[in-house]
């Protein structure tokens, strides 16, 4: 399995997802500021992977802090947490992971632990978040694979695979688990303009694993559905509200609308760290607006006339009425989500 992110004594090693599939490089990020830069520039991306990177960033920042006493370290901790939290606004796993690190830091500080012990415990916590994510994805896979047919074609959008998580993947974890159970599946990967997570990343990791994958451009899905060539859709999520509204990569909503029109099940796979049960619905989810150059250029070549403005929202919100089921690491939720997600949360 590809190593998306790894803690090392020198810093945090990540596969550079901007360069895939042509170049496979694993640079090491040696400061928390470098890690924040890697999250912002999408060296690492995907909600759970961003959470793991932020947790490791917090641990690294504390370990390498020059603070000489706890008061100084507390002030520096706030700066570290704010820098990492200011990178990408939509994926709630980022804030979930930072909050978890913050809670532990406060607990240790109030117990009077020294800096070295605090740093060691924070490193252990970041590694626990990473390990739990992989275990959670395997559970998502086990629950979700039962929903897929014994043979057929599954459409996915963006990359919700090993590269987007600590490993195994959410949406792609469901597909992996189904294939491991002997189901004969073909995957159609939407190319996912403008960053091409589908064409570059989903195709790369499934191909490497020997899973049958073909790439289609984003505007082909409707035609394939109308011809009866797609049996189910599985996607990941960046944030899920209490009522089951789902924020995911821009272009997910039109796929969900098409799936409903063609009576094709539309599944969302995500761990509980992607649930934001504090917000009642998707209208409260902040949508990241990214740099226009991602739209105006492809691989450094301008494709939009110079001076013409573009829009570049990175995510959209799919209302719960389009979602057949939400596959979580604690089980499968079906409508009404407001009750069933809450029930799983307390299970
Ligand atoms: O902008 P990205 O590449 O970080 O967006 C990623 C997605 O939208 C994924 O589908 C989502 O984070 C789930 S990853 C398991």
């Amino acid at each position: 399995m590809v190593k998306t992110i790894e803690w090392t004594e020198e810093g945090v090693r990540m596969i550079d997802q901007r360069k895939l599939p042509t170049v496979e490089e694993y640079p090491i990020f040696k400061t928390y500021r470098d890690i924040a830069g890697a999250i912002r520039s999408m060296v690492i991306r995907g909600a759970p992977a961003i959470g793991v990177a932020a947790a490791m960033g917090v641990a690294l920042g504390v370990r390498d802090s020059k603070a000489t006493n706890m008061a100084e370290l507390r002030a520096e901790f706030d700066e570290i947490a704010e820098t990492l939290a200011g990178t990408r606004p939509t994926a709630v796993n980022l804030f979930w992971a930072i909050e978890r690190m913050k809670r532990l830091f406060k607990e240790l500080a109030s117990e009077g632990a020294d800096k070295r012990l605090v740093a060691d415990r924070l490193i252990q916590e970041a590694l626990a978040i990473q390990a739990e994510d992989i275990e959670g994805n395997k559970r998502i896979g086990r629950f979700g694979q039962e929903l897929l047919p014994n043979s057929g074609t599954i459409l996915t959008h963006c990359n919700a695979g090993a590269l987007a998580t600590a490993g195994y993947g959410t949406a792609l974890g469901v597909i992996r688990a189904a294939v491991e159970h002997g189901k004969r599946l073909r995957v159609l990967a939407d190319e996912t303009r403008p960053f091409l997570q589908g064409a570059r990343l989903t195709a790369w990791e499934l191909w490497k694993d020997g899973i049958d994958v073909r790439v289609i451009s984003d505007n082909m899905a409707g035609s394939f559905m109308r011809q009866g060539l797609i049996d189910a859709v599985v996607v990941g999520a960046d944030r899920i509200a209490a009522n089951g509204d789902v924020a995911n990569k821009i272009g997910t909503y039109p796929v969900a609308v098409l799936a409903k029109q063609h009576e094709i099940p539309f599944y969302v796979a995500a761990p509980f760290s992607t649930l934001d049960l504090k917000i009642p619905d998707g209208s409260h989810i902040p949508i990241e607006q990214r740099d226009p150059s991602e739209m105006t250029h492809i691989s450094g070549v301008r494709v939009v006339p110079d001076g013409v403005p573009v829009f570049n929202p990175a995510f959209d919100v799919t209302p719960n009425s389009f979602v057949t089921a939400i596959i979580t690491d604690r089980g499968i939720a079906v409508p009404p989500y407001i009750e069933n997600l809450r029930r799983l949360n307390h299970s």
Side-chain angles (χ1 to χ4, degrees):
M1 193 160 67
V2 57
K3 277 205 172 130
T4 308
I5 180 164
E6 201 181 355
W7 174 269
T8 77
E9 280 307 301
E10 272 176 88
V12 178
R13 182 185 287 135
M14 305 178 206
I15 187 166
D16 189 341
Q17 301 195 26
R18 299 166 309 177
K19 298 191 175 166
L20 289 171
T22 43
V23 177
E24 190 175 336
E25 250 174 29
Y26 295 81
I28 296 181
F29 296 84
K30 295 186 174 165
T31 69
Y32 78 86
R33 286 187 196 281
D34 290 346
I35 294 175
I39 296 172
R40 196 177 292 111
S41 66
M42 309 214 340
V43 167
I44 190 156
R45 31 68 47 203
I50 293 171
V52 174
M56 290 188 178
V58 169
L60 191 67
V62 169
R63 189 196 70 177
D64 295 345
S65 157
K66 300 277 180 288
T68 52
N69 57 50
M70 257 340 251
E72 274 177 34
L73 187 60
R74 262 198 205 98
E76 205 174 336
F77 186 92
D78 291 344
E79 168 70 20
I80 295 167
E82 268 167 40
T83 303
L84 288 158
T87 50
R88 298 196 70 191
T90 305
V92 77
N93 306 62
L94 176 75
F95 308 100
W96 170 86
I98 293 171
E99 272 312 308
R100 185 162 153 179
M101 299 299 278
K102 219 181 243 179
R103 268 200 308 278
L104 179 61
F105 178 80
K106 279 195 183 141
E107 197 181 299
L108 293 166
S110 71
E111 285 167 7
D114 68 9
K115 191 191 132 198
R116 211 188 138 147
L117 177 68
V118 173
D120 284 349
R121 291 286 306 278
L122 290 176
I123 293 168
Q124 280 168 25
E125 191 73 1
L127 293 174
I129 290 174
Q130 181 183 30
E132 287 165 24
D133 188 59
I134 299 176
E135 285 160 23
N137 291 340
K138 295 215 164 140
R139 283 198 300 278
I140 289 173
R142 273 203 301 281
F143 296 134
Q145 69 85 18
E146 294 194 5
L147 299 173
L148 299 188
N150 286 333
S151 66
T153 301
I154 313 299
L155 177 72
T156 191
H157 189 72
C158 192
N159 171 266
L163 289 166
T165 60
Y168 202 71
T170 55
L172 297 193
V174 170
I175 291 168
R176 276 198 172 93
V179 170
E180 283 161 17
H181 272 76
K183 296 193 175 181
R184 291 185 313 282
L185 300 179
R186 162 169 292 170
V187 179
L188 289 186
D190 276 349
E191 67 175 347
T192 318
R193 273 277 285 152
F195 200 70
L196 303 180
Q197 287 94 332
R200 297 189 304 105
L201 308 177
T202 294
W204 183 79
E205 69 165 89
L206 292 184
W207 187 255
K208 256 172 97 81
D209 275 6
I211 294 175
D212 183 355
V213 58
R214 296 194 182 193
V215 176
I216 60 170
S217 65
D218 296 333
N219 49 8
M220 292 178 188
S223 169
F224 277 70
M225 287 186 187
R226 190 166 156 78
Q227 293 174 71
L229 298 175
I230 295 175
D231 300 292
V233 180
V234 190
V235 298
D238 285 83
R239 196 186 290 230
I240 301 174
N243 71 341
D245 289 351
V246 175
N248 191 46
K249 179 52 54 193
I250 191 77
T252 301
Y253 169 57
V255 173
V257 174
L258 283 169
K260 187 161 190 170
Q261 171 66 20
H262 294 94
E263 295 177 5
I264 296 167
F266 179 90
Y267 301 120
V268 175
F272 251 74
S273 52
T274 303
L275 264 83
D276 189 354
L277 298 179
K278 295 188 303 302
I279 56 168
D281 60 59
S283 67
H284 298 263
I285 300 176
I287 301 295
E288 178 183 9
Q289 305 293 320
R290 290 192 60 85
D291 196 289
S293 64
E294 290 178 356
M295 279 297 298
T296 56
H297 291 69
I298 296 179
S299 303
V301 177
R302 177 171 276 284
V303 293
V304 175
D306 206 358
V308 174
V310 296
F311 292 113
N312 190 16
F315 302 97
D316 59 26
V317 175
T318 298
N320 58 12
S321 57
F322 292 90
V323 180
T324 311
I326 299 176
I327 307 158
T328 78
D329 47 346
R330 299 190 192 171
I332 296 173
V334 292
Y337 292 114
I338 197 105
E339 288 156 32
N340 291 336
L341 287 175
R342 203 181 300 143
R343 189 176 42 76
L344 280 183
N345 188 34
H346 293 119
S347 66

